Amino acid sequence: MPIHFNEKNQTFHLSNNQISYVLGIEKGRYITHRYWGKALPSYEGSNQLQLVDRGFATNPFPEERIFSLNALSLETSTQGIGDHRIANYQIRSAQGHDITDFQYTSYTIHEEKEAIPGLPTTKANQAKVTTLELILTDSYQQLEMRLIYTLFENQSILTRRTVFANYGTQTVFLENAGSVMVDFATDELDLITLHGSHTNEANLSRERIRPGIQRIESTRGTSSPQHQPFLALADPWTSEFTGEVFGFHLVYSGNFIGQVEREQYGSIRAQLGIHPDHFEWVLQPNERFDTPEAILNYSDQGFNGLSQNFHYLYLNHLTPTSFAKKKRPILLNTWEANYFDLSEEALIAQAKDAAKAGIELFVLDDGWFGERHADDSSLGDWFVSSTFPKGLQPLAQEVHRLDMQFGLWFEPEMISKNSQLFAAHPEWALQVPEYPLTEGRQQLVLDLSREEVQNYLIETFSAHLQTGDIDYIKWDMNRHLTEVGSLAFPAAQQKEIGHRYVLGLYRILEALTTTFPEVLFENCSSGGGRFDPGMMYYMPQTWTSDNSDALCRSMIQYGYSYLYPPIMMGAHVSTTPNHQVGRHTPLETRGLIAMSGNFGYELDLQKLQPEEWLTINEQIHFYKEHRALFQFGHFYRLQAPNSFFASAWLFVNENEAIAISFNGLSRPAFPAIYLKLHYLDPQALYEDVVTKQRYSGAELNQAGVLIPRVKQDFHTHVFHWKKCN
């Protein structure tokens, strides 16, 4: 049985052949954390809880001064009764008091994984799962808390979420609704996070957990490019290839907080969930609140092992089923070639060039709707611009005739003051009465908490998709939220609007992606501004960053690969000098960096020189030949970016392997560098496609291959081996 309750020692042991997770019931009422790590055949409690008489400690049982909630290793915090560490929840009573006393009452175990009302979640699909629900009750206020754990068979993955229910007669106010909390009985751990900014996403941070609280967060209304809703705790000696690491990732697209506390006695508490700032939920009698799901990921094979777990889970149990195993087309996006300078004639000429190159998807970006000739108007007016007097159908039909798919850019969540929609419905913008509306890029944010706004967007986009002309949608979102208020809700519910916005977005996406399951949706928020598992539930890929410079992308994609497989990361070859940083990089390198994500182009094909055309034709031919490896093979990081920005990574499947080594900046006194492959089959022979030399997988793994010196910045070496029969 994957989940076993030991009546004798009052523990729940969640286990498969990969991991064990053990919970205890202490004093018949408190849920304690006992173990999380490599699979155990059984658990009998050898790692006993430390109970010591502590100064300043309060005691729920007066006669037992060694027992204090402030030092107990817990699975959920307490409120107002002795646990002074990071809180995973907070409830205010109708009388204004912040105190609860949740005590364990019962449990259930079932072999299924329930959907979360209104929220995305990982799915069991064809895998076996087992779920444990622990029920805790506050008998004074008739409140219930459910801690829900789901264990995936044969994966090092647990999911965790919390449900709060009010069975009393008075309204209570949920002020903090965390998804997960885990106490670690050690202080020897490093904190790993991904931080950044617009055009500089997913930078890796690793630091020793210090006394006090360290946290990452977003209060911007979205998960944000500033911090990924992810944190990991690792042994100090953990590397890409070896060591233990414990990962947490939130399936949510709004405000979040992730934090760790190294407390006074040396233990570490980790917590992740909706950000409590700007949040409150009015919980009426007989109502419940479901938190987003958190992914708990364990690896004893280093950070690459952690990544493999995430990659497998998200491809097989999160992303839309219709695209989980479906190859992605090579696309051409018109943005950096055209910006707002559009015409049907010019676009058809570009489409013909794209088809000649072997491109498979032609995407018309911003500027095709309303009176949109710059980025200061028309958002919300989703009718075809007068720039296209015959509409978009002739262009779409010509693209299809050229044997390519046709895609469009939208920014559905925004509204321009200079638009017909705002003139008709100014109340549809997020706003607070009597305060001015703050604009970002001369646009406002639609109030997605309003059902009529959700319905408008569902109906508008359904009308476009029902034509059958659109195969792909790039769904953009180019500013963060301000004046987060709604004219549709009373004063007592205004702090719900941030979460209601996210629920409204999910309702829209659920309706559209369910009705049009064959349309490929690409998530975008000025690049990686909302790259999170919540969006990946609806959209199988994300435009990773507005920065397409090859050097920057080598680091951005490297960071995101900790969580997401390359097929989820949109990556384009753009022109040089690069539009974001002005850097010149070789076209060959730009191609190989983009192939290491979800491959496409974003440049003016009509301005290419003959030698550039030849290179692009070679790139597209090479990518199509090895698309299965790039999109569905295993991806491993081999060398983290160093002070010269050099890095390396590997794609491998059962038939072949491709290693890519990016040299970054050329340097003097170049040392001998041998790239070890680590992940080839050690018992197999591999033939170098170029030299025809054969090597054992063990030799390539351990001895490695020499990285030749090249006196050139931004050069990329490619090593390609075929596995011998």
Side-chain angles (χ1 to χ4, degrees):
M1 186 71 176
I3 299 178
H4 171 68
F5 179 60
N6 186 321
E7 187 75 38
K8 178 183 176 182
N9 62 22
Q10 294 287 285
T11 57
F12 297 93
H13 185 184
L14 294 74
S15 67
N16 55 28
N17 59 358
Q18 303 290 320
I19 59 168
S20 285
Y21 194 98
V22 182
L23 310 166
I25 305 171
E26 196 69 17
K27 302 295 187 183
R29 62 176 68 175
Y30 304 113
I31 306 298
T32 57
H33 179 78
R34 304 304 302 271
Y35 176 82
W36 178 20
K38 199 169 183 178
L40 305 175
S42 63
Y43 179 82
E44 298 299 334
S46 63
N47 58 338
Q48 299 175 33
L49 293 172
Q50 185 187 54
L51 301 177
V52 179
D53 187 354
R54 304 284 194 184
F56 289 97
T58 52
N59 311 112
F61 303 94
E63 68 282 2
E64 294 190 49
R65 290 178 51 171
I66 65 171
F67 187 87
S68 172
L69 296 176
N70 203 39
L72 199 62
S73 184
L74 296 169
E75 278 288 305
T76 186
S77 57
T78 68
Q79 181 184 355
I81 58 172
D83 180 11
H84 299 282
R85 294 165 288 178
I86 286 172
N88 195 48
Y89 75 92
Q90 182 161 311
I91 297 173
R92 187 177 80 251
S93 71
Q95 290 73 38
H97 300 298
D98 292 333
I99 184 169
T100 54
D101 187 11
F102 283 102
Q103 299 183 15
Y104 168 78
T105 55
S106 63
Y107 74 91
T108 62
I109 297 173
H110 48 90
E111 295 184 352
E112 59 185 10
K113 190 174 191 298
E114 297 176 347
I116 308 176
L119 287 167
T121 178
T122 53
K123 298 157 284 192
N125 290 339
Q126 303 305 311
K128 290 183 179 179
V129 298
T130 309
T131 297
L132 169 68
E133 293 194 27
L134 302 178
I135 297 91
L136 292 79
T137 302
D138 180 326
S139 60
Y140 301 97
Q141 298 185 67
Q142 296 301 305
L143 305 176
E144 182 180 271
M145 181 195 303
R146 288 178 178 252
L147 308 180
I148 302 176
Y149 305 76
T150 296
L151 176 68
F152 281 80
E153 180 187 42
N154 299 323
Q155 295 183 50
S156 298
I157 294 288
L158 278 169
T159 67
R160 167 77 188 274
R161 63 188 181 93
T162 308
V163 178
F164 299 92
N166 180 6
Y167 295 116
T169 59
Q170 294 185 310
T171 299
V172 299
F173 302 88
L174 186 58
E175 298 178 324
N176 181 6
S179 295
V180 61
M181 189 197 87
V182 178
D183 283 346
F184 295 83
T186 177
D187 61 359
E188 294 295 320
L189 293 172
D190 289 351
L191 172 64
I192 292 87
T193 61
L194 295 173
H195 68 93
S197 64
H198 175 229
T199 69
N200 185 32
E201 297 90 345
N203 297 279
L204 183 67
S205 171
R206 180 173 185 172
E207 56 184 322
R208 181 62 55 87
I209 298 176
R210 60 181 183 270
I213 296 173
Q214 296 163 257
R215 72 185 198 182
I216 55 170
E217 61 189 340
S218 173
T219 57
R220 300 165 186 267
T222 73
S223 51
S224 87
Q226 282 69 34
H227 292 287
Q228 179 70 199
F230 155 81
L231 60 86
L233 307 182
D235 287 331
W237 52 87
T238 295
S239 70
E240 290 281 21
F241 313 107
T242 62
E244 280 197 315
V245 56
F246 305 85
F248 301 80
H249 207 189
L250 191 64
V251 186
Y252 189 62
S253 308
N255 294 336
F256 76 91
I257 189 167
Q259 49 190 335
V260 295
E261 179 180 7
R262 179 179 166 189
E263 56 87 54
Q264 57 186 330
Y265 303 121
S267 68
I268 290 172
R269 173 170 290 183
Q271 188 270 335
L272 183 63
I274 295 173
H275 203 301
D277 291 358
H278 316 294
F279 171 83
E280 183 176 270
W281 198 266
V282 180
L283 203 57
Q284 302 284 0
N286 296 313
E287 289 187 348
R288 61 183 271 178
F289 182 89
D290 292 79
T291 71
E293 181 175 77
I295 310 298
L296 278 64
N297 179 355
Y298 169 77
S299 168
D300 63 350
Q301 302 295 315
F303 297 116
N304 271 317
L306 186 84
S307 299
Q308 286 297 304
N309 295 341
F310 276 132
H311 294 185
Y312 183 87
L313 180 75
Y314 292 162
L315 278 175
N316 292 279
H317 300 286
L318 180 73
T319 199
T321 305
S322 56
F323 285 97
K325 302 296 183 183
K326 189 173 183 178
K327 72 178 183 181
R328 308 298 164 76
I330 302 170
L331 66 80
L332 175 70
N333 184 289
T334 65
W335 179 241
E336 288 194 14
N338 299 74
Y339 293 106
F340 292 103
D341 185 14
L342 302 175
S343 72
E344 180 182 310
E345 181 182 10
L347 290 168
I348 287 177
Q350 287 175 286
K352 290 179 178 178
D353 283 341
K356 183 172 64 175
I359 286 167
E360 300 157 321
L361 168 61
F362 184 83
V363 180
L364 174 56
D365 209 279
D366 198 355
W368 60 268
F369 56 92
E371 299 301 324
R372 182 80 162 176
H373 307 299
D375 63 2
D376 59 359
S377 73
S378 302
L379 289 171
D381 298 343
W382 298 110
F383 53 84
V384 179
S385 167
S386 57
T387 301
F388 301 93
K390 295 181 287 185
L392 291 180
Q393 192 170 46
L395 173 61
Q397 289 177 342
E398 179 62 16
V399 168
H400 288 146
R401 190 190 68 77
L402 292 166
D403 200 26
M404 292 188 295
Q405 295 178 308
F406 179 67
L408 274 183
W409 177 95
F410 290 90
E411 193 171 2
E413 299 162 66
M414 299 296 141
I415 182 171
S416 302
K417 274 192 172 181
N418 183 12
S419 68
Q420 293 182 21
L421 184 63
F422 186 77
H425 291 289
E427 76 280 6
W428 281 11
L430 285 175
Q431 57 193 279
V432 175
E434 301 181 9
Y435 281 83
L437 295 173
T438 303
E439 296 183 49
R441 214 172 75 152
Q442 292 185 265
Q443 61 194 52
L444 304 172
V445 183
L446 282 170
D447 180 2
L448 298 194
S449 71
R450 301 177 74 119
E451 189 172 348
E452 64 269 34
V453 174
Q454 300 166 26
N455 292 339
Y456 166 77
L457 291 174
I458 292 169
E459 292 163 6
T460 299
F461 286 87
S462 293
H464 280 286
L465 293 171
Q466 284 166 357
T467 66
D469 295 330
I470 302 171
D471 307 293
Y472 159 105
I473 283 181
K474 182 177 179 180
W475 184 292
D476 211 344
M477 197 270 196
N478 285 311
R479 61 156 290 181
H480 289 144
L481 276 54
T482 55
E483 290 82 48
V484 185
S486 174
L487 300 182
F489 288 84
Q493 291 183 269
Q494 289 301 310
K495 292 187 76 173
E496 297 180 358
I497 302 305
H499 183 59
R500 287 186 179 276
Y501 180 97
V502 179
L503 295 178
L505 171 64
Y506 290 155
R507 177 177 174 250
I508 295 163
L509 292 175
E510 179 71 22
L512 294 176
T513 58
T514 301
T515 306
F516 305 98
E518 298 307 314
V519 174
L520 174 58
F521 284 79
E522 180 166 287
N523 170 44
C524 178
S525 180
S526 289
R530 196 169 55 189
F531 195 165
D532 59 65
M535 297 303 289
M536 292 296 93
Y537 177 85
Y538 304 101
M539 306 188 188
Q541 61 193 56
T542 291
W543 175 229
T544 312
S545 177
D546 278 350
N547 186 350
S548 55
D549 170 68
L551 172 62
C552 295
R553 271 307 190 98
S554 70
M555 295 184 290
I556 292 169
Q557 292 169 205
Y558 199 98
Y560 273 130
S561 74
Y562 270 68
L563 307 173
Y564 306 106
I567 194 172
M568 289 186 171
M569 294 187 277
H572 298 173
V573 177
S574 60
T575 191
T576 186
N578 174 264
H579 287 198
Q580 289 77 47
V581 299
R583 198 184 337 265
H584 291 269
T585 54
L587 180 56
E588 291 82 358
T589 290
R590 281 176 272 151
L592 287 165
I593 298 294
M595 288 181 206
S596 300
N598 201 330
F599 188 45
Y601 291 86
E602 192 164 337
L603 44 72
D604 191 342
L605 295 173
Q606 296 182 310
K607 294 181 179 179
L608 295 178
Q609 299 300 314
E611 63 273 15
E612 292 176 311
W613 264 109
L614 179 62
T615 299
I616 284 177
N617 286 330
E618 290 173 349
Q619 288 174 347
I620 290 174
H621 175 77
F622 179 77
Y623 186 76
K624 287 181 177 179
E625 184 178 0
H626 304 291
R627 182 175 358 217
L629 174 60
F630 283 119
Q631 295 190 354
F632 301 106
H634 295 285
F635 176 89
Y636 296 98
R637 296 173 301 277
L638 301 179
Q639 179 192 332
N642 62 18
S643 58
F644 294 92
F645 305 102
S647 55
W649 51 90
L650 174 73
F651 295 88
V652 61
N653 62 19
E654 63 277 6
N655 300 315
E656 61 180 330
I658 292 177
I660 297 175
S661 175
F662 176 61
N663 79 332
L665 298 176
S666 184
R667 50 176 155 159
F670 191 80
I673 298 176
Y674 297 95
L675 183 67
K676 298 180 181 181
L677 280 297
H678 289 277
Y679 296 102
L680 303 189
D681 181 352
Q683 305 302 319
L685 281 178
Y686 290 84
E687 182 176 280
D688 187 301
V689 171
V690 175
T691 67
K692 306 304 179 183
Q693 176 68 45
R694 293 187 173 187
Y695 309 93
S696 71
E699 181 181 352
L700 292 170
N701 287 343
Q702 303 303 321
V705 293
L706 177 68
I707 302 298
R709 181 185 184 185
V710 175
K711 296 181 180 180
Q712 174 190 343
D713 290 339
F714 320 125
H715 182 79
T716 308
H717 296 283
V718 182
F719 302 91
H720 185 194
W721 299 274
K722 290 286 184 73
K723 193 174 184 180
C724 302
N725 292 327

